[in-house]
Amino acid sequence: MLQIRDLIWGLLFIGCAAAIQVEITPTQGEISVGDSKFFLCEVVGDAKDIDWYAPSGEKILPNRPDIFVSRSDETTSTLTIYHANVDSAGIYKCVAKNGDKEAQATVQVKIFQKITFESAPSPQEFNEGDDADIVCDVVSSPPPTIIWKHKGSRIQVAKDVRYKIMDNGHLQIRGIKKTDEGMYNCEARVMARGEIDFRMIKVVVNVLPTIRARQSDVNATADIGSSALLACDADGFPEPTVTWAHNNVVLETGDKYSLNEDGSELVIKDVKKVDEGDYTCIAKNKAGEKAEEVSLNVFVQPKITYLNNQTASEFEEQVTLTCEASGDPTPTISWSFENRVFSEGEQSLDRNIVVRSHARVSSLTLKNVQFTYAGQYLCTASNSIGQDDQNMYLEVRYAPKLQGNVAWYTWEGNPTNISCKVEAHPRATVVWYRDGLPVPSANFTNLKIYTTPTISYLEVTPSSQDDFGSYNCSATNAMGTEYKEFLLIEADVPTTPELYQVEPFSSTAVIQFGEPEATGGVPIIKYRVQWRLPGQDWTEKEYSAEDDLNQITILGLNPETTYEVRISAINGKGESESSPAKHFKTEPVREPSAPKIEVKVHNRGNSLKVNWIKQDDGGSPIKHYLVRYKAKYVSDWKPEMRLPNDSEYVVLNGLDWNTEYEVHVVAENQQGRSEPGIRSIRTASEPTTIPDAMGGGSGLGTGAIVGILIVVFFLLLVGVDVTCYFLNKCGLLMCIAVNFCGKAGPGAKSKDMEEGKAAFTKDESKEPIVEVRTEEEHIPNQGGGPTEPNETTPLTEPEPAAADTTSPVVNLLPSTATNSVAESFSTAQSSPASECTTLTTSASSPTKAAHAKSSPKNSPAAQPSSLKANTQPDVGPLVDLSDTPKVPPSSNPTPSEPVSPPSANADAQQSQCDQVKAPDSTQSKDLRVDGPAKDAPSAPCTDSTTPVQNDGKTVKDDKTKGEAEVKNATAEVKTVPNEAPQTNGNESKA
């Protein structure tokens, strides 16, 4: 293509060597608005000037900003159109000149508009219910076709009249709803170019707020520090903001008001009466605003604002008491005096008390003032939310008023107080007169005066008849003087009481009588009842005179016996004449009378305490009481209870709450059972809470109980510490004794002995068992030679003893060390019937002592000799078994405990026992075993210090001062390891 072109140009150049030719590339051009494009003008031939001309015919100058012309060489020139617009369209011409030669070429430039969205904002917001105009402004050339889509589907305007596409391409939705909200697609198409473009537009539908007050009227009480809560709930889209206003002033959080986070709740603090009124709740969003009124009603508790004390004089025409009160609602005012309440209007038949009220003021008018009007008046102001009470005092000044019994009775030598009660205001001065003379005085030494604020007492001790008569009391104050006369009369003994009847029983009798017609001026103090067998001495008993006393029971009578009885009355002056005697005969022996019972609720309410009073026993002692009970609504009785004859009550526990029970109590003697005493009572209702203290509760507070527990716990700790001190040598007390007092604890002296555990420390796993046996079998020595040694033969052989020997008394001293083992001695008497005693003790540990006591059993042959044992010294060989280390005996052993009981026979030979030295130990105890004794001369005692080697093999006696022989007897002491058998068959032979 290029070769053909060059060929054509060559031909033209050759053919027209002298002509100029112009060609524009491209030959035509289309430019989108806003785009840029250039055109190249090429000249064939020599051209001095190459110029471009606009469609208007004007030459295009090089300095234009929108169209730029540039000449790159002598044959080409470039036209560049920047940011083309519709005005840039037209025919552009390129002209080449060289002197008089000129050539030109043209190119037509077309400007078209691409699809351009000039205005398609997103999101676009509308209010619900409005006609929404969704803006989508699109330009292009030619004009585009607009298509709207929603939720992926094309909007069919013909099918839904709510939708309409406007001439400008906008989409209109009539009465838009919240459901129309979402993404809309605005699509533009140019069919001539196949061009398409779209924009997504978000449509938001705002909803006007709705508002609802939780409570349209709110009530509050002023001046009590309370708060009021006003609340409204708002809804809408977007979420509305809520504000409150009162009297067109927007309220904010502060000292007076408080709002929550979303503003829906308004709290008014410390409500006052001025806070009353309407409060506006305003909800606002993009769709608009709504308001709702909430009314706050502030009530004021009543308060008495005026009430003063008043003073008046008796017999004044009237006095008015005024009480004024505030409050909302307006309070009602009432008056009260001594449990009497006055309301509006006249309050008495004589019209002397009148109450009048107006608005918040009430007045109480008292006419013809009496001294009884004086006192404390209560004004009460009340309305629907509360009340207020205040007292005022009405002081009434009046002359003295005297009160008291006119007649007073006494007798010579008996003092009496004549009381003169004085009522007066102001206080009165009291003076007593006798025969016109003030008392007391030198003439009346037996008169004394005692005065209290309201009563004056004249104490008269008559010494003769002259002291009886008239006494005058005079009281005087600023309002006047008052007198009163009192008579002092000599008292007399009462008249005889009348004995109505006697109701006899087997062992008791009930007498009924009437009070004396005249008491003699002074009260009856007691009654004297006398009874007897006919012709015998009177038996009497006095009974205190109580109110309405008209019968007395005589006790301790004999069955089927005739008695006579009489009664007399006694006052301070003396005793009346006795009533005429009445005869009665007691009934024969029979069953008892029914007990008189009383039942009351006990303790916490579901228990009953049944008390009974013994009545006539029927002439035979009561054996016991029988008690049974049941709930009234059931037929079955609870098991019958039998109680001793001296019982007076029983408590029934675990009863049902709020249930009526029937209780029967029967007394029984030898003759049978009485009629039941019957009572019914209902238990208490079950309490909802447990009372703090009922029926004998301790009443102790929590602090007292905690203190007691602390003291008990402390004493327990002290007890445990003391126990540890004495038993285990440990604890706080042990530490104090050793470190502060320098004292060793109990058992400390055996410390060295414990360190010398010779046998047990060799093999502590083998605890020794020590067996001590006294063989019953007697084997005499043949030919006077020693017996053949065997396993049980002791290594220290006894020397021959005299033919007659004293039955030895074996005194066993336990080891002084804590791990000592028990000892036993076997002695055989010369008689073949001598006893055998075996004592076996196991040492549980090297540090614990096992103490054993043994008393021989007396055989029939030995019992006679045992009766004479007290005539001989109760002394025997002493052997000390200990786990202490072997210590060489001292030449002068220290006596430990002398054993020398006194002889019962002065003519018998005395036997003395030297003292036996035992290792020092604070825990040693004596263990004594006394064997049977026979009548024989006394034998010498041995004194030995016996170190013991506890190695499980031997026990050896190192030193013997006195020699003794026990005939035909052998003593064995054997220590056997714990794992060895305790018997082997040869231990029974001596």
Side-chain angles (χ1 to χ4, degrees):
M1 188 72 185
L2 182 59
Q3 295 176 353
I4 295 174
R5 179 182 174 185
D6 293 340
L7 181 61
I8 292 173
W9 278 102
L11 293 174
L12 291 173
F13 182 76
I14 296 172
C16 304
I20 299 176
Q21 295 181 353
V22 178
E23 183 178 3
I24 298 175
T25 304
T27 59
Q28 66 178 4
E30 290 185 353
I31 306 174
S32 174
V33 174
D35 288 349
S36 300
K37 197 167 185 179
F38 70 91
F39 297 91
L40 181 64
C41 178
E42 295 179 328
V43 178
V44 177
D46 293 332
K48 183 178 180 180
D49 297 321
I50 301 175
D51 298 318
W52 284 90
Y53 292 90
S56 60
E58 296 179 358
K59 182 179 179 180
I60 299 174
L61 299 177
N63 57 354
R64 290 184 58 175
D66 54 340
I67 301 176
F68 181 74
V69 176
S70 65
R71 184 172 179 176
S72 56
D73 54 26
E74 293 180 356
T75 60
T76 60
S77 178
T78 300
L79 172 68
T80 302
I81 300 175
Y82 291 100
H83 307 298
N85 53 38
V86 293
D87 296 334
S88 302
I91 298 175
Y92 288 83
K93 181 172 61 176
C94 178
V95 178
K97 292 180 180 181
N98 187 2
D100 55 355
K101 297 178 180 179
E102 178 178 330
Q104 64 180 8
T106 61
V107 60
Q108 184 175 3
V109 176
K110 297 180 179 180
I111 305 299
F112 70 92
Q113 176 71 52
K114 289 195 306 181
I115 296 175
T116 302
F117 290 89
E118 292 185 341
S119 177
S122 180
Q124 297 184 35
E125 297 185 16
F126 306 95
N127 294 337
E128 186 178 35
D130 292 348
D131 291 338
D133 185 6
I134 304 175
V135 177
C136 184
D137 293 331
V138 186
V139 294
S140 72
S141 56
T145 302
I146 305 298
I147 300 174
W148 286 90
K149 296 180 181 180
H150 179 51
K151 296 180 180 179
S153 299
R154 182 170 180 175
I155 295 176
Q156 302 294 331
V157 176
K159 294 182 179 181
D160 193 342
V161 295
R162 295 175 57 246
Y163 296 98
K164 180 180 179 181
I165 298 178
M166 310 296 289
D167 293 338
N168 56 4
H170 296 183
L171 175 63
Q172 185 185 64
I173 303 176
R174 299 185 182 93
I176 193 169
K177 304 176 183 177
K178 186 66 177 176
T179 55
D180 296 328
E181 194 175 61
M183 299 299 296
Y184 285 78
N185 184 356
C186 176
E187 184 177 287
R189 298 183 179 183
V190 177
M191 300 299 296
R193 294 192 299 274
E195 185 179 2
I196 185 172
D197 200 358
F198 66 91
R199 290 289 184 270
M200 298 300 296
I201 302 173
K202 181 179 181 181
V203 174
V204 177
V205 178
N206 295 326
V207 180
L208 187 69
T210 59
I211 191 168
R212 177 182 59 84
R214 297 181 193 173
Q215 201 172 350
S216 58
D217 288 283
V218 177
N219 297 329
T221 303
D223 303 325
I224 60 172
S226 64
S227 299
L229 173 64
L230 311 183
C232 65
D233 297 315
D235 194 13
F237 187 85
E239 186 73 22
T241 58
V242 179
T243 57
W244 290 85
H246 177 54
N247 295 331
N248 297 324
V249 176
V250 176
L251 306 180
E252 297 179 353
T253 298
D255 295 337
K256 183 63 178 178
Y257 304 102
S258 176
L259 294 167
N260 63 345
E261 292 182 358
D262 59 1
S264 61
E265 295 181 353
L266 170 67
V267 177
I268 304 174
K269 305 174 185 177
D270 191 16
V271 176
K272 304 292 184 182
K273 184 62 179 177
V274 295
D275 297 326
E276 189 175 56
D278 293 333
Y279 289 77
T280 305
C281 177
I282 304 170
K284 184 177 182 179
N285 65 2
K286 293 180 179 179
E289 69 177 40
K290 281 290 185 70
E292 185 77 12
E293 297 287 341
V294 179
S295 297
L296 176 63
N297 304 315
V298 179
F299 299 100
V300 181
Q301 287 185 331
K303 184 175 180 60
I304 296 176
T305 57
Y306 178 83
L307 184 66
N308 290 333
N309 295 333
Q310 296 279 358
T311 300
S313 297
E314 190 178 21
F315 309 124
E316 278 188 13
E317 183 177 351
Q318 69 178 31
V319 62
T320 300
L321 313 181
T322 303
C323 180
E324 183 176 348
S326 63
D328 188 10
T330 301
T332 301
I333 301 176
S334 62
W335 295 85
S336 60
F337 174 68
E338 294 182 350
N339 300 324
R340 183 178 177 186
V341 178
F342 305 117
S343 56
E344 181 74 16
E346 296 178 352
Q347 304 299 307
S348 61
L349 296 177
D350 57 6
R351 300 182 179 181
N352 284 339
I353 303 175
V354 180
V355 176
R356 293 285 183 264
S357 298
H358 176 71
R360 294 187 171 96
V361 180
S362 176
S363 62
L364 173 64
T365 301
L366 305 174
K367 301 178 181 179
N368 299 323
V369 178
Q370 305 294 323
F371 77 97
T372 55
Y373 292 169
Q376 188 168 267
Y377 288 78
L378 178 66
C379 175
T380 302
S382 61
N383 60 13
S384 58
I385 62 170
Q387 73 175 33
D388 187 23
D389 301 322
Q390 282 192 24
N391 293 307
M392 62 84 60
Y393 189 82
L394 174 61
E395 177 185 3
V396 178
R397 300 166 59 88
Y398 58 94
K401 301 181 185 302
L402 305 183
Q403 299 176 1
N405 295 329
V406 174
W408 296 84
Y409 293 84
T410 187
W411 56 94
E412 292 183 9
N414 182 61
T416 188
N417 290 325
I418 301 176
S419 301
C420 179
K421 184 177 181 181
V422 181
E423 293 185 359
H425 186 74
R427 185 173 176 178
T429 302
V430 179
V431 178
W432 286 89
Y433 293 90
R434 167 70 167 163
D435 296 335
L437 299 176
V439 293
S441 64
N443 296 330
F444 305 101
T445 57
N446 58 344
L447 302 180
K448 296 180 181 179
I449 296 177
Y450 304 96
T451 302
T452 67
T454 58
I455 301 178
S456 178
Y457 298 96
L458 175 63
E459 181 185 286
V460 182
T461 306
S463 59
S464 66
Q465 291 295 322
D466 295 337
D467 292 327
F468 296 98
S470 174
Y471 292 84
N472 290 298
C473 175
S474 172
T476 303
N477 68 357
M479 303 300 294
T481 301
E482 182 73 14
Y483 300 91
K484 186 175 181 65
E485 182 180 11
F486 296 91
L487 298 177
L488 183 62
I489 304 172
E490 184 176 10
D492 197 1
V493 296
T495 59
T496 303
E498 182 178 359
L499 184 57
Y500 294 142
Q501 67 176 11
V502 179
E503 183 179 2
F505 297 94
S506 297
S507 62
T508 62
V510 177
I511 64 170
Q512 295 184 356
F513 62 95
E515 295 181 353
E517 293 182 0
T519 63
V522 290
I524 302 296
I525 301 175
K526 50 191 173 182
Y527 293 94
R528 177 178 284 121
V529 178
Q530 296 176 310
W531 67 92
R532 70 178 179 180
L533 296 173
Q536 296 186 8
D537 295 335
W538 291 97
T539 301
E540 65 180 37
K541 186 175 180 181
E542 294 180 352
Y543 299 88
S544 297
E546 300 176 355
D547 293 340
D548 300 328
L549 179 64
N550 55 17
Q551 70 176 25
I552 293 175
T553 301
I554 304 174
L555 306 176
L557 304 180
N558 296 324
E560 290 188 285
T561 305
T562 300
Y563 291 90
E564 58 181 348
V565 63
R566 64 185 184 183
I567 187 171
S568 61
I570 301 173
N571 65 5
K573 180 66 182 293
E575 183 177 359
S576 71
E577 294 290 335
S578 297
S579 65
K582 275 187 177 292
H583 291 78
F584 67 93
K585 184 178 180 180
T586 56
E587 295 183 358
V589 177
R590 59 174 180 82
E591 68 276 359
S593 299
K596 183 179 181 181
I597 68 173
E598 178 185 5
V599 183
K600 58 184 179 181
V601 178
H602 183 62
N603 200 9
R604 293 184 178 273
N606 65 337
S607 299
L608 297 178
K609 185 175 182 180
V610 183
N611 295 275
W612 57 83
I613 300 175
K614 174 184 174 182
Q615 302 299 305
D616 184 74
D617 60 7
S620 177
I622 291 178
K623 295 162 53 179
H624 47 251
Y625 290 95
L626 303 174
V627 180
R628 65 175 183 166
Y629 65 97
K630 72 178 183 69
K632 274 205 167 183
Y633 60 86
V634 299
S635 59
D636 296 335
W637 290 86
K638 299 293 183 180
E640 189 175 67
M641 294 180 289
R642 178 171 295 184
L643 300 171
N645 59 355
D646 58 349
S647 302
E648 295 181 352
Y649 72 92
V650 66
V651 178
L652 308 178
N653 293 312
L655 306 180
D656 295 334
W657 295 99
N658 195 25
T659 303
E660 188 172 0
Y661 280 87
E662 181 178 337
V663 182
H664 288 193
V665 179
V666 174
E668 184 175 359
N669 63 6
Q670 292 293 346
Q671 300 298 315
R673 298 184 178 183
S674 70
E675 291 295 322
I678 303 174
R679 283 290 183 273
S680 296
I681 191 172
R682 180 176 293 275
T683 55
S685 300
E686 184 173 5
T688 55
T689 57
I690 299 177
D692 291 337
M694 292 183 63
S698 64
L700 292 177
T702 303
I705 294 175
V706 172
I708 291 173
L709 292 178
I710 293 174
V711 171
V712 171
F713 183 69
F714 176 76
L715 293 178
L716 182 62
L717 290 180
V718 172
V720 171
D721 189 68
V722 171
T723 303
C724 293
Y725 172 71
F726 284 104
L727 295 183
N728 299 330
K729 296 166 294 203
C730 62
L732 181 61
L733 191 60
M734 179 69 182
C735 180
I736 295 174
V738 173
N739 295 330
F740 294 95
C741 301
K743 297 180 180 181
K749 294 182 179 179
S750 60
K751 181 178 180 182
D752 295 337
M753 301 174 187
E754 293 176 355
E755 294 176 352
K757 296 180 287 186
F760 296 104
T761 54
K762 292 180 180 179
D763 188 359
E764 293 182 353
S765 65
K766 299 178 180 180
E767 300 180 1
I769 298 177
V770 177
E771 293 184 342
V772 181
R773 295 182 181 272
T774 302
E775 300 299 336
E776 181 179 359
E777 181 181 1
H778 177 65
I779 304 177
N781 292 333
Q782 302 295 331
T787 60
E788 182 179 358
N790 57 19
E791 290 181 346
T792 60
T793 303
L795 298 181
T796 56
E797 299 183 10
E799 296 184 2
D804 294 331
T805 61
T806 303
S807 235
V809 177
V810 181
N811 193 353
L812 301 182
L813 298 177
S815 171
T816 57
T818 58
N819 60 348
S820 63
V821 297
E823 306 169 18
S824 175
F825 295 92
S826 300
T827 60
Q829 298 182 9
S830 58
S831 171
S834 62
E835 285 189 349
C836 170
T837 301
T838 302
L839 176 62
T840 303
T841 305
S842 298
S844 59
S845 67
T847 60
K848 293 184 179 180
H851 305 292
K853 293 183 179 181
S854 173
S855 60
K857 301 178 181 178
N858 295 328
S859 65
Q863 288 178 359
S865 63
S866 64
L867 299 175
K868 302 178 182 180
N870 291 333
T871 62
Q872 302 299 331
D874 226 4
V875 180
L878 302 177
V879 179
D880 180 24
L881 298 180
S882 174
D883 61 351
T884 58
K886 185 174 181 180
V887 180
S890 173
S891 59
N892 296 320
T894 303
S896 174
E897 179 178 354
V899 182
S900 57
S903 175
N905 189 351
D907 296 334
Q909 182 180 356
Q910 297 294 325
S911 175
Q912 297 181 352
C913 295
D914 293 335
Q915 298 168 347
V916 180
K917 176 179 176 61
D920 185 15
S921 172
T922 60
Q923 294 181 348
S924 64
K925 296 181 181 178
D926 291 340
L927 178 64
R928 175 173 296 178
V929 180
D930 296 335
K934 297 185 70 175
D935 187 8
S938 61
C941 297
T942 60
D943 184 3
S944 62
T945 303
T946 311
V948 180
Q949 181 178 357
N950 290 329
D951 57 357
K953 295 179 180 181
T954 62
V955 177
K956 186 176 181 181
D957 186 356
D958 290 338
K959 184 176 181 180
T960 304
K961 290 184 178 180
E963 295 181 354
E965 179 179 357
V966 180
K967 184 178 181 180
N968 298 327
T970 59
E972 73 161 7
V973 178
K974 182 177 181 182
T975 304
V976 184
N978 196 18
E979 71 275 5
Q982 296 183 5
T983 61
N984 54 17
N986 295 325
E987 296 176 354
S988 62
K989 296 180 181 180

